[in-house]
C-alpha cells in the first residue's frame, strides 16, 4: 500500500485558489514557452517503495503529463511532457528526490526533444 503523507493532502486544499490563479497565468504564458518531451529511467531501490505513486503525485503537482511504470529489470521508466521549466523540475525530482523509501542510484534521460503539443492529457501509472 502506498498512502500519501497526510501533510501533502493538508497543504493541497488551502492552496487551491492560488493554483487556479497559477493555471490561468500558465495558460496565458503557454504560447511563449516551448514544450518539451523526455524519456527517463530510474535505477536504484525504486520498486516496492511507492515510487510510481509518488512520481504520479509529483508530476500532477508540478503540472506535467506523461506516464510511469516499473520494468522487469527492477527499474522505473516513463515519459514526461510539458513546458520546459516544469519538465526540468520533474527531471530534478526524478534524479534527486523520489519517494521517501527509495534510493536513487542514477537516472538517465533520452529522446529529449521539443514538441508542438502534448501527447497525453494527464500523468498516469501504466501497468
Ligand atoms: C537508460 O539506460 C539504459 C542503459 O543503461 C538503456 O537501456 C535505457 O534504454 C535507457 N533508458 C532511457 C529511458 O533512456
Ligand atoms: C513491477 O513491474 C514488473 C513488470 O510489470 C513486475 O514484474 C514487478 O512485480 C513489479 N514490481 C513491483 C514491486 O510492483
Ligand atoms: C489519462 O490519460 C490516459 C492516456 O493518456 C487515459 O487513458 C486516461 O483515461 C486518462 N485519465 C484521466 C483521469 O483523464
Amino acid at each position: 500500500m502506498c498512502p500519501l503523507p497526510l501533510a501533502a493532502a493538508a497543504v493541497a486544499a488551502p492552496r487551491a485558489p492560488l493554483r487556479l490563479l497559477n493555471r490561468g497565468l500558465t495558460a496565458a504564458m503557454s504560447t511563449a514557452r516551448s514544450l518539451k518531451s523526455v524519456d527517463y529511467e530510474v535505477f536504484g531501490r525504486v520498486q516496492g517503495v511507492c515510487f510510481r505513486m509518488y512520481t504520479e503525485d509529483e508530476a500532477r503537482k508540478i503540472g506535467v503529463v506523461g506516464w510511469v511504470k516499473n520494468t522487469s529489470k527492477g527499474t522505473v521508466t516513463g515519459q514526461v511532457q510539458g513546458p520546459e521549466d516544469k519538465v526540468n523540475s520533474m527531471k530534478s525530482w526524478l534524479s534527486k528526490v523520489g519517494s521517501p523509501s527509495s534510493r536513487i542510484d542514477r537516472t538517465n534521460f533520452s529522446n529529449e526533444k521539443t514538441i508542438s503539443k502534448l501527447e497525453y492529457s494527464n500523468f498516469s501509472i501504466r501497468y
Side-chain angles (χ1 to χ4, degrees):
M1 289 296 98
C2 293
L4 279 176
L6 283 175
V11 294
R15 276 216 222 117
L18 184 59
R19 273 160 56 190
L20 284 177
L21 175 63
N22 283 343
R23 231 169 259 162
L25 290 172
T26 303
M29 290 166 68
S30 66
T31 48
R33 296 202 287 178
S34 66
L35 295 171
K36 215 163 87 166
S37 176
V38 68
D39 299 346
Y40 63 89
E41 184 166 3
V42 192
F43 298 75
R45 193 158 73 92
V46 294
Q47 288 193 12
V49 292
C50 305
F51 200 94
R52 290 168 297 169
M53 223 198 77
Y54 274 85
T55 300
E56 180 184 48
D57 187 61
E58 187 66 18
R60 288 175 177 174
K61 275 186 200 153
I62 289 176
V64 290
V65 298
W67 53 275
V68 58
K69 72 170 187 178
N70 68 1
T71 71
S72 55
K73 54 175 182 161
T75 64
V76 165
T77 190
Q79 195 176 25
V80 175
Q81 297 187 345
E84 186 162 9
D85 56 339
K86 293 185 178 192
V87 169
N88 288 341
S89 298
M90 195 64 202
K91 282 176 73 177
S92 172
W93 188 89
L94 287 166
S95 307
K96 297 175 200 151
V97 185
S99 65
S101 309
S102 68
R103 189 201 66 239
I104 297 170
D105 290 340
R106 72 187 171 87
T107 303
N108 68 339
F109 298 98
S110 63
N111 201 22
E112 191 158 346
K113 60 188 178 188
T114 299
I115 53 174
S116 55
K117 70 180 191 63
L118 301 176
E119 292 165 272
Y120 309 98
S121 59
N122 61 42
F123 194 95
S124 54
I125 297 175
R126 285 190 182 173
Y127 296 96

